[in-house]
Amino acid sequence: MNAKRERSRSVWMDVKVAPDARRLQADHAADVAVVGAGIAGLSIAYELAVRGLSVVVLDRGAIAGGMTSRTTAHLAPICDDSLSELLSMRGQELAKGFHASQSAAVDRIESIQKELQIDCEFRRLDGILFLDPESDESVLDDEVSAAMDIGVTVERGKGLPLRTLDERPFLRYPAQATFHPLKYLRGVADALTKKGARLHANTAVIEVKEGDDHVELKLESGHTVTVGHAVIATNSPIHDLVALHTKQAPYRTYAMGFEIEAGKLNDALYWDTQDPYHYVRLTPGEDGKDILIVGGEDHKTGEADDADARFAALTSWIKTLVPDLGPERYRWSGQVMDTLDYCGFIGREAGSERVLVSAGDSGQGITHGVVAGLLIPDLILGRENYLTAVYDPNRKPLKAATTYVSENITAVKNFAEYLAPGELTSIDELKPGQGAIVRRGLSKIAAYRTEKGEVIEKLAVCTHLGCHLHWNSFEVCWDCPCHGSHFSPDGSVLNAPAIGPLSDVDE
Ligand code: FES
């Protein structure tokens, strides 16, 4: 069934993190359970284990096999939605806190990889924001002014060694960084195991029950994990049905990897001033070559199924700047959860003492994940932390009221789709490898024909809050536009917040 899924392969995916992690097949007790084994979950678990707590990490898939394996790993502490936007949304004090914490996250990665001697290609480099031809130069003026207010070091420059950019103004942010995320997490996971932490893959949590002095996690297998605290680090939370989901929205982003002669392009993080912006970085390839990673062409999850056109646009954009690129080696897409005010939700939700959350990567998933590791352990241990207010999950981003309405209109529009006709009039029209929505009476069916011709039918109703699913032909899955769940063609959950599989169709 997954023959077409191979089309989507990130540059990192050959590295496996904790490949021996097994399903948890028994009841278990620990100080803390972390649900979600991406960068956030593993970072939180590591910081807890360092402090001597017993930790169990649970993931419904592979360890670090979710969106963390699809990042492009820009370790840029500056807000990727622009510093001027951050400043206007959060004010000076909190914007400073955001930047300081994102910088601290990069410093923490640097110190951990050094201490654990993880060979993960970590290196400091410049971040270069360059002016897109469509943008006015005042965009850069605003960024410089905001950088000064927040205390971010920035320099102006003109002329990059890229075709068409030899006269283009840019801003240079020194001391950004990059690395190989899965090599890094492989080292962190090894260290966690040595410290006695338990990592369990293929272990789905289906219920989170908070008591006065403990939390019970019910597993799909029927077993129970009993802990003092639980951290839900699934980016789109599985335990919170509504509150956080109204303050963040899922977006698909696309990335490609091309061979390039080593040394042809300066090792730096590049991005432009378009909205959505393009981003470029390098990573070591094989035979002395580099791989140039280019990304962008974002859209709201489920609102387009035209990946080939988006990859063509990315190819054309990068080949204008770097005409002598080598062959394409990778293409993939990932999902980011954009929050209303560009900062993640990390901490305790109102009314919850023992269940904490890390959600809303806002396109800076790696640094946000590591920030969660810097904050959550202090909250569990009852210590003060200056980051609490910056990432408070209960904050109401009043300045983002317009965005709040426009993002949440997705769900309203989505429910109207149940009244629309199907995409095909009959399942007989389905081609091998194709998925489509078909109406049958009052029901909408998510139908998929395997390469061998077998048809799989499921209800096209997301099991999180009931939104209407959309087919993603590139990733070969059903995407939920409302809060970012993904389901495989057989109905099983691939991505949170959904917990249960798609329902069967009543004949
Ligand atoms: Fe919330 Fe689908 S992810 S309704």
Side-chain angles (χ1 to χ4, degrees):
M1 181 195 302
N2 287 341
K4 283 185 81 183
R5 193 181 292 281
E6 281 302 298
R7 288 178 59 198
S8 174
R9 188 165 73 97
S10 87
V11 65
W12 325 116
M13 282 179 182
D14 290 341
V15 172
K16 301 296 172 208
V17 179
D20 297 331
R22 297 278 174 263
R23 184 191 305 268
L24 179 55
Q25 307 262 37
D27 291 348
H28 184 69
D31 291 331
V32 183
V34 180
V35 183
I39 180 78
L42 293 177
S43 299
I44 295 162
Y46 179 74
E47 303 293 355
L48 290 165
V50 163
R51 288 159 178 78
L53 280 80
S54 61
V55 187
V56 56
V57 180
L58 310 166
D59 197 295
R60 72 161 50 247
I63 304 298
M67 290 307 147
T68 295
S69 67
R70 293 163 176 267
T71 177
T72 52
H74 285 61
L75 302 182
I78 55 176
C79 176
D80 82 337
D81 284 285
S82 88
L83 289 173
S84 50
E85 277 291 317
L86 174 70
L87 190 61
S88 86
M89 199 61 81
R90 301 296 320 263
Q92 190 179 29
E93 194 187 332
L94 293 174
K96 278 184 173 177
F98 174 85
H99 180 256
S101 59
Q102 299 279 320
S103 294
V106 180
D107 293 348
R108 186 64 182 140
I109 292 170
E110 185 171 29
S111 68
I112 288 175
Q113 57 91 34
K114 205 165 171 184
E115 197 179 304
L116 300 179
Q117 299 184 320
I118 304 172
D119 179 9
C120 62
E121 297 149 23
F122 179 91
R123 58 211 186 268
R124 294 279 179 175
L125 35 62
D126 287 341
I128 305 280
L129 169 63
F130 62 90
L131 194 66
D132 173 76
E134 310 286 312
S135 307
D136 191 273
E137 198 165 341
S138 62
V139 174
L140 299 187
D141 298 337
D142 292 346
E143 284 305 280
V144 171
S145 159
M148 286 169 67
D149 286 349
I150 298 171
V152 177
T153 306
V154 62
E155 288 170 10
R156 280 179 178 276
K158 198 167 196 177
L160 291 168
L162 294 165
R163 197 171 71 173
T164 76
L165 298 187
D166 44 353
E167 287 296 320
R168 195 74 53 82
F170 66 87
L171 301 182
R172 184 178 82 85
Y173 299 92
Q176 314 293 297
T178 191
F179 70 161
H180 189 304
L182 296 192
K183 286 185 181 175
Y184 171 76
L185 287 177
R186 183 172 60 186
V188 170
D190 287 349
L192 267 169
T193 308
K194 283 188 192 127
K195 287 180 185 300
R198 303 263 300 253
L199 306 184
H200 290 286
N202 305 315
T203 302
V205 173
I206 58 168
E207 192 183 350
V208 181
K209 254 169 79 181
E210 183 171 357
D212 287 343
D213 60 356
H214 70 284
V215 181
E216 269 184 19
L217 304 178
K218 293 276 178 217
L219 306 184
E220 203 171 44
S221 61
H223 295 294
T224 302
V225 174
T226 308
V227 288
H229 291 84
V231 186
I232 311 301
T234 49
N235 205 14
S236 196
I238 59 164
H239 68 303
D240 169 337
L241 272 186
V242 179
L244 279 180
H245 295 293
T246 64
K247 297 192 283 189
Q248 59 179 30
Y251 282 77
R252 277 267 176 202
T253 186
Y254 295 83
M256 307 176 79
F258 293 89
E259 259 183 26
I260 182 172
E261 245 174 71
K264 193 102 190 159
L265 182 65
N266 286 347
D267 195 11
L269 308 178
Y270 302 87
W271 68 106
D272 69 6
T273 50
Q274 273 196 34
D275 184 17
Y277 62 87
H278 297 97
Y279 44 93
V280 179
R281 59 159 288 190
L282 296 171
T283 193
E286 290 174 357
D287 303 327
K289 301 258 184 9
D290 281 341
I291 297 289
L292 179 148
I293 299 171
V294 56
E297 295 293 325
D298 307 10
H299 62 80
K300 272 199 90 168
T301 291
E303 291 196 350
D305 185 26
D306 54 359
D308 286 346
R310 287 171 196 268
F311 287 123
L314 275 181
T315 304
S316 151
W317 181 82
I318 191 62
K319 287 200 168 174
T320 304
L321 303 183
V322 189
D324 42 3
L325 272 184
E328 176 192 325
R329 294 290 181 217
Y330 306 90
R331 59 170 59 188
W332 72 98
S333 75
Q335 181 170 273
V336 299
M337 298 302 301
D338 275 358
T339 68
L340 293 177
D341 60 10
Y342 319 124
C343 305
F345 299 110
I346 304 168
R348 252 186 202 100
E349 286 184 86
S352 188
E353 269 306 305
R354 295 181 170 272
V355 180
L356 298 95
V357 67
S358 172
D361 62 280
S362 218
Q364 293 177 271
I366 299 292
T367 47
H368 264 111
V370 178
V371 165
L374 299 178
L375 173 55
I376 297 260
D378 279 352
L379 296 178
I380 289 176
L381 294 168
R383 297 178 184 152
E384 300 247 313
N385 189 306
Y386 77 104
L387 302 178
T388 307
V390 179
Y391 296 102
D392 179 9
N394 305 303
R395 69 183 186 272
K396 299 201 170 32
L398 295 177
K399 290 196 174 161
T402 322
T403 323
Y404 178 90
V405 172
S406 68
E407 290 294 11
N408 283 292
I409 234 145
T410 297
V412 178
K413 282 196 315 203
N414 179 281
F415 279 100
E417 290 178 37
Y418 282 110
L419 303 173
E423 293 160 342
L424 301 179
T425 47
S426 158
I427 282 176
D428 296 341
E429 296 169 39
L430 270 180
K431 298 187 179 63
Q434 185 189 5
I437 300 292
V438 180
R439 173 172 284 290
R440 187 176 300 150
L442 292 177
S443 300
K444 294 299 253 331
I445 314 289
Y448 175 74
R449 188 182 294 280
T450 68
E451 299 292 347
K452 289 184 178 160
E454 181 201 349
V455 173
I456 302 171
E457 296 183 12
K458 296 285 166 184
L459 281 188
V461 181
C462 177
T463 53
H464 175 230
L465 287 178
C467 282
H468 186 295
L469 299 175
H470 292 187
W471 178 241
N472 181 332
S473 56
F474 175 63
E475 295 293 349
V476 192
C477 66
W478 298 102
D479 284 353
C480 181
C482 287
H483 316 110
S485 293
H486 307 153
F487 299 87
S488 93
D490 67 6
S492 53
V493 179
L494 295 173
N495 200 67
I499 289 175
L502 297 181
S503 302
D504 291 334
V505 180
D506 289 335
E507 295 300 335

